[in-house]
Amino acid sequence: MIENPPPCPKCSCEYTYEMNALVVCPECGHEWVPAETGDEGGDPAAERVVKDAVGNVLRDGDTVVVVKALKVKGSPSGIKAGTKVRGIRLVDGVDGHDIDCKVDGFGAMQLKSGVVKKA
């Protein structure tokens, strides 16, 4: 257990805490392994590049448009192509879902970057 966990590499919050092998920031929700930031001297999340369906680089806070219809579990209708999603957040998601967002009419969910286009 780390006596004084390091500050968050994304938002510089000092109130981070340990959860199993990860260090978690309560303000921005960023999770990381403390050894990752010390090895290369840089922020590994900043080096990761996420691209949309047509090759544009995505960043936190971008607005994207869904390029194909998506089925949503528990919903009789899915997300239609052309739906605009504002204020995305890039995350290390499960099974290739690397965008965390809120879709109007559906709520919070994760999307794959291959099904969106930067607006």
Side-chain angles (χ1 to χ4, degrees), residues 8-119:
C8 177
K10 272 193 167 179
C11 70
S12 302
C13 173
E14 296 180 7
Y15 302 109
T16 57
Y17 61 92
E18 275 191 88
M19 184 172 66
N20 298 328
L22 298 174
V23 178
V24 181
C25 175
E27 288 186 12
C28 69
H30 180 63
E31 299 176 346
W32 74 98
V33 177
E36 286 181 356
T37 57
D39 291 345
E40 298 175 15
D43 183 11
E47 297 170 8
R48 189 183 84 190
V49 176
V50 178
K51 295 186 178 184
D52 66 2
V54 294
N56 297 324
V57 177
L58 296 174
R59 299 203 184 329
D60 285 345
D62 281 347
T63 298
V64 296
V65 176
V66 178
V67 294
K68 70 178 203 174
L70 302 173
K71 294 181 182 178
V72 178
K73 266 188 191 177
S75 174
S77 64
I79 299 173
K80 295 179 182 178
T83 302
K84 193 176 273 191
V85 181
R86 293 179 177 88
I88 65 168
R89 197 177 88 189
L90 302 178
V91 296
D92 291 326
V94 178
D95 198 28
H97 294 83
D98 45 11
I99 297 175
D100 195 23
C101 61
K102 289 183 183 175
V103 180
D104 291 339
F106 292 96
M109 63 177 52
Q110 290 188 344
L111 299 173
K112 293 183 179 183
S113 59
V115 298
V116 298
K117 177 178 78 170
K118 194 171 185 176

